[in-house]
Amino acid sequence: MAYSPGHGTALPLYFFTREVVAMPERLTKKQEKFVSELIKGKSQREAYKAAYDTSRMKDSSVDVNASKLVKSAKVAQRLEELRTKVERKAEEKAVMSAVDVLREIEKIAKGDISDYLSFRTALTVIGHDKETGEPIIDYAPIVDIKDSRDVDTKNIQEVSLGANGSFKFKMYSREAALYKLLELYGTKAVDEAKLQLMRERLDMDREINEKKYW
């Protein structure tokens, strides 16, 4: 139905209706302070005292007022909002921490001794003749260590040099890291992986013995 001003036609009721959206009431500064102190872990009494002047109030009166305030609709809503944010941040932090731990375990699992040093057998001076002083040359193991500034040292558990010149280099257990990864990933192949690692270890020992590096 068309409407023209001045013709005396009544307006339909829906011309006068509109949706009303209720806006949440904002907290006062003291109320916001009260809520923030609760989020920090303080009791209702402590939070109320931090937000309001309670110098002339008994603790019993403070408790009553704090209880009423925390139950009010706008304070309760704000408290729930902040708690949700805190929980979400805690969850995100926990997830990131777990990811970081998993990455470190993966680094250990994928680490190899060749990332830090190399060893070979070559002709070198192994001593000097006591009578002539001439150098004695023979095949001996040679270990080349990479500069610590050029490698990621997180996987190294121990590096030491004994008084007699003996060198010791130890990495964190690759096998333990692999087992941990298997547990974290929930795979059912743990036993099979252990057998495979044992086979690899035996093969490596056999290869070293055949080459007679030492």
Side-chain angles (χ1 to χ4, degrees):
M1 174 172 55
Y3 166 71
S4 298
H7 287 274
T9 305
L11 288 174
L13 181 60
Y14 63 76
F15 271 46
F16 297 97
T17 62
R18 62 178 178 178
E19 184 179 359
V20 178
V21 180
M23 299 297 292
E25 294 184 66
R26 297 188 62 179
L27 300 185
T28 65
K29 290 183 178 180
K30 291 183 178 181
Q31 289 171 336
E32 191 70 42
K33 174 70 174 176
F34 174 72
V35 171
S36 66
E37 293 299 318
L38 289 175
I39 291 297
K40 292 177 183 177
K42 291 186 178 181
S43 65
Q44 292 184 18
R45 178 188 294 179
E46 293 171 334
Y48 194 89
K49 286 185 175 182
Y52 295 88
D53 180 10
T54 60
S55 58
R56 298 182 180 181
M57 295 176 62
K58 295 181 179 179
D59 284 346
S60 57
S61 300
V62 171
D63 292 342
V64 171
N65 288 354
S67 179
K68 290 180 180 179
L69 185 58
V70 81
K71 292 177 182 178
S72 66
K74 60 180 182 180
V75 170
Q77 180 181 352
R78 179 59 174 160
L79 186 58
E80 182 62 26
E81 289 175 359
L82 293 183
R83 279 177 176 165
T84 301
K85 288 182 180 180
V86 170
E87 290 173 358
R88 188 179 300 115
K89 287 183 179 180
E91 289 174 358
E92 291 174 354
K93 186 176 181 180
V95 169
M96 290 306 299
S97 297
V99 170
D100 291 340
V101 169
L102 186 58
R103 285 174 179 168
E104 291 301 315
I105 295 175
E106 286 180 341
K107 285 182 182 179
I108 295 174
K110 295 177 181 178
D112 188 83
I113 195 170
S114 62
D115 296 333
Y116 308 98
L117 54 85
S118 62
F119 51 91
R120 66 188 188 280
T121 300
L123 285 172
T124 186
V125 177
I126 61 172
H128 291 80
D129 188 281
K130 292 181 179 180
E131 297 180 358
T132 65
E134 293 292 326
I136 301 174
I137 299 177
D138 199 355
Y139 284 96
I142 297 176
V143 178
D144 295 318
I145 307 172
K146 296 182 180 180
D147 194 316
S148 61
R149 293 171 295 184
D150 300 328
V151 297
D152 185 354
T153 59
K154 293 178 181 178
N155 287 8
I156 300 175
Q157 185 176 3
E158 180 183 354
V159 177
S160 61
L161 187 64
N164 60 349
S166 61
F167 173 73
K168 185 176 181 180
F169 180 90
K170 186 177 181 181
M171 297 175 61
Y172 287 106
S173 174
R174 180 171 180 266
E175 294 179 20
L178 286 172
Y179 296 155
K180 190 62 180 178
L181 281 178
L182 290 172
E183 292 176 9
L184 292 174
Y185 285 131
T187 179
K188 297 180 181 179
V190 175
D191 292 336
E192 183 178 343
K194 289 181 180 179
L195 291 174
Q196 180 63 30
L197 285 171
M198 290 176 62
R199 295 191 196 101
E200 291 179 1
R201 184 192 299 169
L202 291 173
D203 291 341
M204 185 179 299
D205 291 342
R206 189 180 300 110
E207 182 180 356
I208 290 175
N209 290 332
E210 289 175 356
K211 290 184 178 181
K212 297 181 179 179
Y213 284 132
W214 317 103

